[in-house]
Structures are given as C-alpha cells and as structure tokens.
Amino acid sequence: MSNYTVNKLAYLLGVPEPMISSQLSPDQKIEDFSYIGEAPRIRACCRARQVALFHFTGGKKIFSLPDSLRSYCQDGIFDELQQEFQDAGDSWTFANRMTDSIVGSVKETMEAMDIPHADVLLELIFQWPSQNKATFMALSQQYHNRRFSFPYSTFIPKPKSFEPNLRYLLTSDEVLFSASPIALAVSAQAGVTKVEPQPAPEALDFPNVTYISTPFSTALIPYREGTCVSYIDYDNVPPFIAAQICRAATYSHPVKMFYDDRARGDINTLMGFPFVEFCFVERLKAEKSLVDSRILTAVVQDCYTDHPSQAILYSSDSDFFVLAPILAGEGVAFTVVAQEEHVSPAYVEKLGEHNAECCILSKTAAVPSPDPELIKNLLRHQLLHTTLGECKIQEITKEVLHGFADEKYHSLLQKTTEAEIEKLLKGAKLVVKNGGVALEL
C-alpha cells in the first residue's frame, strides 16, 4: 500500500517525526518536506492549535505554549507562536488565528508537495470551524472522548463522518482517499470539473482496456450500433453503477438485473425504470447462489435467439470467461465492465485474445454523487408507490438513497439529497396523459 501522500500530510499536520519516519518510502526523506512552500510554519501552526485544544479540557489552563512545542518548530517560529498566543488572550481565539494562517497557505504548499486533491483535504482535514469558548470546549471534549481514536492522536474535524476509517486515516493513501467524506468530495469535484482521464494501472494496461477514473456514466461505455443488452449481477455491482445503468436503459439498450434473496440494498427502489427486466434467482441451498449460472444461461440464450449486436456484462468474476469465445463465434461484441480492486489482470488479458473489450472502474468511478436527474427518476417511482397521505420527506429521502448509495454514504448525502427532493416536490404536479394519471417533476 502506498504512503506517498499520507507521509507528507502527516508532516503538515504535526505528527511526531518518529511516527512518520517509520513508514517513509525509500525515495522520501522527512527533512525534504521542510523545504517546500510554507510547510514548516503550517506544521508548527497545526501542532500549536492542537496543543491549545488538548489543554483546554482534561488539563490545567495554560498561559503560554509549552516548551515541548519547540521540537515541531524551525528557528524563530516557536517565539512567534508564543507571542501570538499571548496576544490572542484565550485559546479559542488563538486556534482561530492558527486556522486562518494554515488555510491561507496550505493549499499552495500541498500542491507544491504533489499532494492530490488539495482543496478537498484543506476543507475536510485542515479547516476547523470558527470557534468561541463553548464550541472550543465541545471540540476539546470530542478530542478527549474515548469513542474516537484519532490517527496518531491528530485531531480530525467531524470525526464521526470518517468512521470506520478514522483511526487508520494516515496509515496509507488508499485508506485516506477511500474514507467516505474524502471519496465523496473527490467524486463531486470530478463531476463538475473537467478532469483528465487517468491511465490504467500497469497491471491492467492492455490494448482492450478502457480505464474509467471519473464518476460512472453509461456514456463512458462504448456501445455498438443495434441492440446492446446489459447484464448485471446486482449484488456485486455498486448501487451507484446499477442505478445509472437502469436510468439509461432504452429500447435498443435494455437491461437485465439478476439478484437473489440476499441481494444487497433495496432493489425495489429501481423497479420503476422502463426497459429493465428484473430476474429473481432462487438459491439452491443457503450458501449456494445460482445467480452466475442464470446470467450465463441468459447471455447464451439471448445470443442464439435474439442475436444482439453487443452483450455488456457488469461483473468482475472471471468465471464468465467462457462467454468470450461463444459470443465471438456468433459475431456478438462482448464488453466486460469490472471493478479495478476485484478483477484479475490475467482474466482481462485473456479476454482480449477473443476481442472482448474491458471497461475497468476505479474506486472513484463507483462513488455515488447526488445526480439531480437520477434522484428525479428514483423519486418519481417512490411517489407512485407511496400513499400520498403517508409521504414523509425523510422517509422518501432514505428510500431514494438506498437506490444509488451504499449505507456508509447515506448520512453524508442525506442533506443534499433531501434538498433536491424538496425542490422537485415544490414543482411537482399530477397530469392526465393518454387517459391515465402521471406525475411530472
């Protein structure tokens, strides 16, 4: 696992040098960090702010910064901070001044240190809310609360949103960027900003591979002319991916969703989409699912009876390799869409020998985003299947979230999704269409 980014981040946050040194990669030296931008002052300010937080609760009130802070400060910085502490008059004002100083230079310094997503990390890691006496007391109590185990005792704002990654947040780049708040923020950033596609990892860098590192959309999948059928193993596809595929289904791009009685999430939320066929598969016995067998049967049957121009399989399972020669022999294009962390490079390479294309999804591609159009589609289905007098915004929001996001993201997406639903409902109306009643949002 890579520590390239977190080591630099730990330095800026004021983690003790011995802790950082123990996980440095061969090409990193801790002293090199101190020559980049405002890194030494940011490190000192982060540590000084945390010292003030630590002593505000659980210890005696301090009237000057402790001498132990000197080891975190380059020449002259400690005396400057000591004077700022005395000028501030109280700990919370000092913490606010430290935050202002950190925020004023940390983004540029992170960029100079080649730390990716500097603006996201600034907001979620370095930015502390403006404090007064009461809020600083609450923050300090949170820091000392045994419920949270902070990485290397480094206080992280809004710790509840980072669980269960909080404790290990600074142990590897993978843990840092897979933490729910950071993953969501990076995904949202990629959704509104033109981001250059990332090259495929070396292990998956084959001619038949398209690497998708931005939020998933079916527009990123190369469709052939004619009928293109998508086959989804619902329990092994992230909810955001499944919802986007269902939303994009059309007459020429139908979808077949396969699931059993242990399917993750609430599949009923997706059942309002047209051109999507839901295929329930009974288990042979408690521990044996037959979903894979049913998918294999359906693909082969469609190949020989309906002759689609393309079969798109959403699965990382190499057991489906048997389909590649069969479809190639019948002139049906075969596309496999798999998740980077679950797919075998040997399987991907072997598919290429039968002219099968692979779209590999990075972790970022599967992170949910509150897509207004997707929320509108899911909301319409919920309203048509809920008694109007029993409708509650909070409950509807919960059901909509089940349709496109894993549980770990729900609390983080709740507010944004609820606001979008309220906006849609304010403009909603019932209309008569073709002799029936329809809902317009």
Side-chain angles (χ1 to χ4, degrees):
M1 297 179 82
S2 170
N3 297 325
Y4 185 76
T5 294
V6 292
N7 290 337
K8 300 172 186 177
L9 205 60
Y11 176 83
L12 294 175
L13 286 167
V15 172
E17 289 191 8
M19 292 182 177
I20 304 172
S21 299
S22 66
Q23 61 176 28
L24 287 175
S25 54
D27 63 333
Q28 287 183 320
K29 294 180 181 178
I30 199 166
E31 56 266 26
D32 292 342
F33 302 158
S34 64
Y35 294 103
I36 303 175
E38 294 292 316
R41 182 168 181 85
I42 293 168
R43 174 175 171 80
C45 288
C46 282
R47 194 69 192 184
R49 179 176 62 175
Q50 189 157 312
V51 165
L53 184 70
F54 175 82
H55 285 282
F56 200 64
T57 297
K60 294 187 294 185
K61 181 179 179 181
I62 58 173
F63 298 93
S64 61
L65 296 172
D67 204 56
S68 58
L69 183 62
R70 289 183 184 275
S71 62
Y72 296 87
C73 304
Q74 286 191 353
D75 294 343
I77 294 181
F78 176 80
D79 294 332
E80 291 176 22
L81 295 179
Q82 191 71 272
Q83 187 61 53
E84 286 191 55
F85 185 81
Q86 293 170 0
D87 291 345
D90 52 62
S91 295
W92 58 90
T93 300
F94 174 73
N96 288 336
R97 291 182 181 181
M98 290 298 96
T99 296
D100 290 343
S101 178
I102 293 163
V103 170
S105 57
V106 72
K107 181 180 177 182
E108 291 76 9
T109 298
M110 283 193 285
E111 290 172 346
M113 296 175 84
D114 292 324
I115 295 177
H117 309 297
D119 46 356
V120 169
L121 295 174
L122 185 158
E123 181 180 348
L124 295 174
I125 302 293
F126 291 96
Q127 176 80 57
W128 287 15
S130 181
Q131 300 296 312
N132 55 39
K133 183 177 181 179
T135 61
F136 201 57
M137 174 69 77
L139 210 64
S140 185
Q141 289 172 339
Q142 193 177 49
Y143 180 37
H144 290 281
N145 191 332
R146 291 184 181 180
R147 177 185 171 188
F148 298 112
S149 182
F150 293 96
Y152 307 125
S153 298
T154 301
F155 183 75
I156 304 295
K158 300 181 180 178
K160 186 178 179 181
S161 66
F162 281 94
E163 290 189 314
N165 300 73
L166 179 64
R167 180 179 181 181
Y168 308 101
L169 198 62
L170 298 177
T171 58
S172 76
D173 295 359
E174 287 79 2
V175 172
L176 176 73
F177 289 110
S178 65
S180 299
I182 295 176
L184 279 175
V186 170
S187 177
Q189 182 187 62
V192 299
T193 307
K194 187 175 181 181
V195 178
E196 287 296 321
Q198 298 297 311
E202 185 177 350
L204 293 166
D205 190 13
F206 301 112
N208 64 319
V209 167
T210 298
Y211 187 66
I212 299 176
S213 55
T214 56
F216 178 80
S217 163
T218 54
L220 300 170
I221 305 299
Y223 285 98
R224 300 295 178 93
E225 288 189 13
T227 301
C228 306
V229 186
S230 293
Y231 303 86
I232 306 172
D233 181 355
Y234 179 66
D235 204 37
N236 291 302
V237 172
F240 181 64
I241 306 295
Q244 291 285 18
I245 300 165
C246 290
R247 186 188 75 165
T250 64
Y251 178 78
S252 59
H253 295 162
V255 172
K256 294 189 177 184
M257 183 86 74
F258 298 83
Y259 67 102
D260 61 21
D261 57 358
R262 296 189 184 180
R264 176 204 58 222
D266 181 8
I267 199 164
N268 292 324
T269 311
L270 300 176
M271 288 187 173
F273 290 104
F275 307 108
V276 180
E277 179 183 344
F278 291 86
C279 308
F280 174 73
V281 184
E282 290 187 8
R283 284 179 169 263
L284 182 63
K285 50 185 177 179
E287 70 278 8
K288 183 63 177 176
S289 172
L290 296 178
V291 167
D292 288 1
S293 299
R294 183 68 184 86
I295 292 173
L296 283 166
T297 304
V299 174
V300 173
Q301 183 176 347
D302 290 348
C303 171
Y304 289 119
T305 59
D306 298 334
H307 307 292
S309 58
Q310 183 181 15
I312 304 172
L313 175 66
Y314 287 84
S315 173
S316 304
D317 194 336
S318 58
D319 287 348
F320 289 109
F321 174 73
V322 66
L323 291 171
I326 295 173
L327 295 173
E330 294 299 315
V332 177
F334 187 33
T335 301
V336 173
V337 184
Q339 296 177 74
E340 176 186 350
E341 67 267 35
H342 298 311
V343 72
S344 163
Y347 168 52
V348 173
E349 183 178 24
K350 200 72 178 172
L351 284 169
E353 295 178 10
H354 295 276
N355 298 317
E357 297 178 320
C358 288
C359 294
I360 305 299
L361 306 178
S362 71
K363 288 183 179 180
T364 303
V367 174
S369 61
D371 179 343
E373 196 61 34
L374 180 58
I375 291 173
K376 181 192 289 188
N377 280 274
L378 293 169
L379 174 62
R380 182 181 291 111
H381 173 68
Q382 284 302 307
L383 292 175
L384 290 173
H385 292 81
T386 305
T387 303
L388 192 59
E390 297 176 0
C391 284
K392 294 183 179 179
I393 299 295
Q394 206 169 39
E395 289 301 315
I396 291 174
T397 301
K398 182 179 178 181
E399 292 302 319
V400 168
L401 283 170
H402 274 303
F404 75 92
D406 281 316
E407 189 76 36
K408 65 180 179 178
Y409 295 114
H410 285 194
S411 61
L412 298 167
L413 290 168
Q414 174 86 22
K415 189 174 180 180
T416 305
T417 305
E418 191 171 297
E420 183 64 30
I421 287 173
E422 286 186 357
K423 185 175 76 173
L424 288 166
L425 288 176
K426 286 177 181 176
K429 60 182 179 179
L430 289 172
V431 297
V432 177
K433 186 178 290 185
N434 299 326
V437 178
L439 180 71
E440 282 190 357
L441 295 172

